[in-house]
Amino acid sequence: MRQEAVLAMLAKEPSYGYELRERLREALGPLGEGMNAGQIYVTLTRLEKAGLVVSEASTGLPDRPDRKVYLLTAAGQQRVAGWFAEVSWPKPDLAEFHLKLSAAAAGRLADPIAIVDAQRRELLVRLRDTQRAALDEPADSQAALLLEGIVLRLQADLRWLEACERTWTRTRRKQ
């Protein structure tokens, strides 16, 4: 769980851990379904130790006297502001698949086209599942926008696999 995402949710308003989880799940739609309460509470504990949040005992709930409300500190507010000001994108790097494909081709240990085909099948399943999830979301929701980003990345990966297949097919014909 990204600490900054939790801090950003607290920047809006103080919350209980369970409320934070629900707000994050709502914002992420189906992408947040795997999030469990334990992740949130571990993150909140780390943030509290780092001085980015403080907790106060809840009042007015006699059946839940141990319930804590979490609030941002000034340092937490600065961290959120810094996170939003930061311009970042995942750096292009070699994934395990890229290394496997190169090693198979270089060492002639496996057919690179067969590896590309297997990867394509997996990406097509992920693409189908993501597109279905996107159709279940309201068109203007945050979750639909996040899912669209995943769909576009999967489509780009599939185009790259097509380029790999073309290259190894040409190489095979030359041999």
Side-chain angles (χ1 to χ4, degrees), residues 4 68 121 127 158:
E4 290 83 2
K68 293 180 180 180
R121 284 190 299 275
L127 179 60
L158 286 165

Side-chain angles (χ1 to χ4, degrees), residues 1-29 32 35 40 43-44 47 52-53 69-73 76-77 79-81 83-84 142-143 146:
M1 169 58 46
R2 287 286 309 207
Q3 291 182 350
E4 290 83 2
V6 172
L7 290 170
M9 288 293 173
L10 286 173
K12 180 181 178 198
E13 62 186 338
S15 297
Y16 303 109
Y18 181 81
E19 288 173 328
L20 279 173
R21 180 182 74 158
E22 290 307 307
R23 287 172 43 206
L24 281 165
R25 288 175 80 176
E26 183 178 316
L28 296 173
M35 187 184 325
I40 297 294
T43 302
L44 286 168
L47 292 170
L52 300 172
V53 301
V69 176
Y70 293 90
L71 306 98
L72 278 186
T73 63
Q77 290 170 347
R79 175 105 169 247
V80 170
W83 185 51
F84 287 134
Q142 291 177 3
L146 295 173

Side-chain angles (χ1 to χ4, degrees), residues 12-147:
K12 180 181 178 198
E13 62 186 338
S15 297
Y16 303 109
Y18 181 81
E19 288 173 328
L20 279 173
R21 180 182 74 158
E22 290 307 307
R23 287 172 43 206
L24 281 165
R25 288 175 80 176
E26 183 178 316
L28 296 173
L31 300 173
E33 289 174 2
M35 187 184 325
N36 66 43
Q39 291 173 298
I40 297 294
Y41 288 106
V42 166
T43 302
L44 286 168
T45 300
R46 289 179 181 153
L47 292 170
E48 195 167 19
K49 286 180 183 176
L52 300 172
V53 301
V54 292
S55 63
E56 297 177 354
S58 175
T59 58
L61 296 172
D63 60 327
R64 302 282 309 258
D66 59 337
R67 202 164 181 196
K68 293 180 180 180
V69 176
Y70 293 90
L71 306 98
L72 278 186
T73 63
Q77 290 170 347
Q78 288 177 342
R79 175 105 169 247
V80 170
W83 185 51
F84 287 134
E86 178 183 298
V87 177
S88 66
W89 196 253
K91 294 178 183 173
D93 62 354
L94 293 175
E96 183 179 347
F97 175 76
H98 301 108
L99 297 172
K100 183 191 308 183
L101 189 58
S102 296
R108 296 185 181 176
L109 302 171
D111 180 10
I113 293 176
I115 293 172
V116 166
D117 285 341
Q119 187 72 12
R120 180 185 295 116
R121 284 190 299 275
E122 176 61 26
L123 290 179
L124 286 169
V125 167
R126 290 182 188 185
L127 179 60
R128 180 199 66 214
D129 293 346
T130 305
Q131 287 172 326
R132 284 181 180 163
L135 288 173
D136 291 339
E137 293 297 317
D140 58 350
S141 72
Q142 291 177 3
L145 188 60
L146 295 173
L147 289 165

